[in-house]
Amino acid sequence: MESNQLHESNSVGSDAPALTTNANAEASVVTSSAPRATKERSVKRFVKNVGSGWLAMLVGGLVGMATLPMSMEYLDKELYSISALVTTFLSIFNFLSFGLPPTLLRFFSLAFAEEDTARAHRILSTSVILLGSVGMFGALVFIAVYPIFLRFYSIPEYCHADLWILYLVTAFHFFQTFTLVPYYALVQARRRYDLTNFRRIFASLLRLVVLWLGFHIMGKTLLVLAVSSICSVVYELCSILLIAYRLEGRRIIPIPRLFTKSLLKEMFSFSIYSLINSIFMPLLISVPVLIIGRTLGKPSVAEFTPAVTICNLCASILAAFASPLTPLASADKKRTGGANLGRWVTIIGEAVAFLGFMLFVGVGVMGRDFIYLWLGPGFVTTTAPTLMVLLFGVVCAHIQAVNYYLALGSSTIKPHAFSAMATSLTAIVLVFCGTRYFHWSVVQVAICISMCQVVRNACFLPYYYSGLFNYDFFDFTWRAYRRPILIVIAVLLVCYFVRSLLPSYHPTVVRLVLGSAAVAVFYSIVGWRFMVGQEVKERLPLVHKAPKFVQKILLGK
């Protein structure tokens, strides 16, 4: 029940307090005039941030996959769906952040790039006071609409008491999440993504332990989720404040007299687009879930949300690759006027396409076995294809997410905002009409959502930013979308053909692991040869640490 979307969605997705040294070092990743040693340190730092992000995503994903069937087993589909609806309903209130979470990352990054710690302190004080106030307001409104929630979803009376406690705890967690947003932005702007990532790893493990103990001690009750949320609240509050204190000392204390209206106006002039984005992007999934719960019934929510859980994990893994670029983009904008941004788009886009479609191919070939072992045979026919379809949209979205993170640090996110509005509203209308009048299944809902994402992320946004960041749109889409998709189709056909030759078998963990490894190896060989560009290959540190003969094979020399 941990609601960290505001500061960890992507977190989305780096290193030490030295301002100019760090900014210049990271910006020199692609600057040929920088010393070789500085380049190596910059690459290592970037890899450390990305690697810790992936580790956090892996641990969080494994914990999520363990807790979901555990929750369903102890709570059954009815109670689990109710808890999922509470979390989804609360996510609608995220618009109260005014789009400030990514805006704060941008403003802190620019302040640190200019070594203006006084401005950074004003940003912190202003944002903590503002977000703490609106977080409290949102929590109170959320509590006030509790009776409406009960009636709208026809919540059975036997769980009202436990649900009320869970509802209150979730509201308080919402308030705290808003208040801590500036501290997450500050730490990430200092390029210490690794610290927040390791915090998330421990938080995931803590949640697993608390849920396991709670279900065994307290039994079938929503109070277990409330206790888990309380533990998350305490740990989140203590850990992020200690990390921020380690980096900034007493400057993390907000001072009311530093609340600056002019600074607030300056942040809002940028955050209006972030606000639109933060309102409508969560609606792309959350509102269809609520519609499914109303039109198709709560059991369909239980079939749809596991696919969303896995897609969120994959999205976080892909976002972790590009999210550290935001402070880097601010530094590059300051030093070179953004001369390197166009190359980064193509390099990171190719890398994310390679990784993202590996996940998609794995789900496409072994997804049914995975769902069978994870949730049981009752979910295979609906959740498995839903997962594959949604994941395709997620991969297409995150291939161009590098544009968002670079724009967040150096340009404008206006096209992201208005395209998010158009995409979400279109998907919501289609899902409502489809489920209400044409009896769509959850798989058809997933197809609708995924296609809306593809149009926005594979067509419109790359075309718009090709002009801003000075890269060729057709070259980028060929290298990051069209060529990878052709390769993926070929790989899937080969894998399906090979699997059709094998005798049918009962899924086991060993067979799932071996099959997934075989698919990953085959895809990696083909993808590395035909999908990954030479510049990406030559810049990976692990390639240069390999033996000489391995380097020649990997680099094609």
Side-chain angles (χ1 to χ4, degrees):
M1 299 297 296
E2 190 175 1
S3 58
N4 291 335
Q5 298 96 327
L6 291 175
H7 48 70
E8 293 182 353
S9 84
N10 326 322
S11 293
V12 162
S14 281
D15 257 319
L19 300 176
T20 308
T21 302
N22 285 349
N24 294 348
E26 293 206 35
S28 67
V29 172
V30 291
T31 305
S32 58
S33 61
R36 181 178 180 83
T38 303
K39 288 185 178 181
E40 292 178 353
R41 286 196 302 269
S42 301
V43 173
K44 288 180 180 179
R45 180 177 303 149
F46 186 81
V47 171
K48 180 180 179 181
N49 291 328
V50 173
S52 63
W54 283 350
L55 181 60
M57 296 307 109
L58 176 63
V59 173
L62 292 176
V63 169
M65 287 187 287
T67 55
L68 194 150
M70 183 195 307
S71 300
M72 285 191 176
E73 178 184 353
Y74 282 93
L75 296 179
D76 68 41
K77 280 189 177 182
E78 179 80 11
L79 287 180
Y80 172 77
S81 297
I82 291 172
S83 66
L85 288 172
V86 170
T87 306
T88 305
F89 187 50
L90 178 62
S91 67
I92 295 176
F93 288 79
N94 285 345
F95 74 90
L96 291 173
S97 66
F98 301 119
L100 285 176
T103 301
L104 289 173
L105 176 58
R106 172 190 176 92
F107 273 69
F108 277 126
S109 298
L110 291 172
F112 292 153
E114 297 173 356
E115 297 184 298
D116 193 344
T117 54
R119 177 177 171 82
H121 197 189
R122 290 197 303 273
I123 294 172
L124 180 69
S125 298
T126 302
S127 57
V128 168
I129 294 172
L130 174 67
L131 288 174
S133 301
V134 298
M136 175 64 72
F137 172 77
L140 293 176
V141 172
F142 179 66
I143 293 172
V145 299
Y146 176 70
I148 300 175
F149 178 84
L150 292 179
R151 290 195 301 271
F152 188 78
Y153 287 106
S154 303
I155 305 298
E157 190 172 351
Y158 74 90
C159 65
H160 281 192
D162 294 348
L163 179 61
W164 172 239
I165 296 175
L166 174 63
Y167 204 87
L168 289 176
V169 172
T170 305
F172 180 73
H173 200 174
F174 176 82
F175 158 70
Q176 180 198 258
T177 299
F178 266 65
T179 306
L180 295 181
V181 162
Y183 294 100
Y184 279 94
L186 182 148
V187 173
Q188 291 176 343
R190 283 293 195 185
R191 300 172 182 87
R192 293 310 305 263
Y193 285 77
D194 56 323
L195 294 179
T196 58
N197 289 332
F198 288 127
R199 185 209 70 81
R200 294 168 62 199
I201 292 172
F202 186 83
S204 298
L205 296 175
L206 175 65
R207 183 171 185 270
L208 177 62
V209 171
V210 172
L211 283 176
W212 185 84
L213 290 175
F215 283 131
H216 282 79
I217 295 174
M218 303 172 67
K220 179 182 176 180
T221 173
L222 291 173
L223 291 179
V224 175
L225 300 180
V227 172
S228 171
S229 186
I230 291 173
C231 293
S232 297
V233 167
V234 174
Y235 173 71
E236 183 181 4
L237 177 65
C238 297
S239 61
I240 192 60
L241 290 180
L242 286 174
I243 292 172
Y245 181 79
R246 173 183 169 184
L247 295 176
E248 298 294 322
R250 293 174 179 253
R251 287 193 296 272
I252 70 167
I253 301 174
I255 300 176
R257 63 180 174 82
L258 294 181
F259 184 91
T260 309
K261 292 183 179 179
S262 60
L263 177 60
L264 196 61
K265 182 178 179 181
E266 184 182 350
M267 288 192 294
F268 278 150
S269 66
F270 180 87
S271 70
I272 183 62
Y273 303 117
S274 181
L275 172 61
I276 296 173
N277 197 60
S278 66
I279 289 175
F280 287 97
M281 282 314 298
L283 298 184
L284 183 63
I285 295 294
S286 59
V287 172
V289 170
L290 297 175
I291 292 173
I292 289 173
R294 179 68 175 178
T295 58
L296 302 182
K298 289 189 281 295
S300 294
V301 174
E303 294 173 347
F304 189 81
T305 51
V308 174
T309 299
I310 299 299
C311 286
N312 286 340
L313 168 63
C314 294
S316 299
I317 292 173
L318 299 178
F321 199 95
S323 58
L325 289 173
T326 296
L328 206 166
S330 297
D332 188 71
K333 184 73 172 180
K334 176 73 176 178
R335 296 181 67 251
T336 69
N340 297 304
L341 301 183
R343 263 180 44 227
W344 287 344
V345 171
T346 303
I347 292 173
I348 301 299
E350 280 188 337
V352 174
F354 175 76
L355 176 63
F357 282 118
M358 178 187 290
L359 299 173
F360 175 74
V361 169
V363 168
V365 179
M366 305 301 299
R368 296 177 69 88
D369 293 358
F370 170 72
I371 296 298
Y372 183 96
L373 294 171
W374 182 34
L375 300 175
F379 288 85
V380 171
T381 57
T382 53
T383 303
T386 299
L387 171 59
M388 186 177 180
V389 171
L390 284 178
L391 185 56
F392 181 79
V394 167
V395 173
C396 289
H398 281 79
I399 288 173
Q400 74 79 39
V402 60
N403 280 314
Y404 173 78
Y405 293 112
L406 292 177
L408 189 61
S410 62
S411 184
T412 176
I413 60 171
K414 182 178 179 179
H416 280 89
F418 291 111
S419 63
M421 179 190 300
T423 302
S424 297
L425 292 178
T426 300
I428 290 169
V429 171
L430 291 176
V431 168
F432 175 78
C433 294
T435 55
R436 181 70 180 272
Y437 302 109
F438 300 100
H439 309 291
W440 279 5
S441 66
V442 293
V443 178
Q444 291 170 307
V445 171
I447 292 173
C448 174
I449 294 172
S450 186
M451 289 303 98
C452 289
Q453 287 181 303
V454 169
V455 171
R456 173 182 184 249
N457 293 283
C459 301
F460 170 70
L461 289 175
Y463 178 78
Y464 185 93
Y465 280 105
S466 64
L468 288 182
F469 295 150
N470 194 28
Y471 63 87
D472 185 83
F473 167 74
F474 293 102
D475 178 66
F476 171 75
T477 54
W478 167 251
R479 295 167 64 176
Y481 284 102
R482 289 175 289 163
R483 183 175 63 185
I485 289 176
L486 292 175
I487 294 171
V488 165
I489 292 173
V491 170
L492 285 175
L493 290 176
V494 172
C495 290
Y496 288 152
F497 175 74
V498 172
R499 181 154 186 171
S500 68
L501 300 178
L502 300 176
S504 60
Y505 60 83
H506 182 77
T508 64
V509 174
V510 174
R511 286 170 175 165
L512 175 64
V513 172
L514 293 178
S516 300
V519 172
V521 169
F522 175 60
Y523 168 85
S524 297
I525 294 173
V526 176
W528 182 267
R529 174 65 180 84
F530 298 104
M531 187 186 301
V532 180
Q534 192 67 22
E535 189 171 8
V536 175
K537 295 176 182 178
E538 292 177 350
R539 292 186 178 277
L540 292 176
L542 293 177
V543 172
H544 297 285
K545 291 182 179 180
K548 293 294 184 182
F549 74 94
V550 177
Q551 289 186 34
K552 291 181 179 180
I553 296 174
L554 293 177
L555 296 177
K557 297 180 179 179

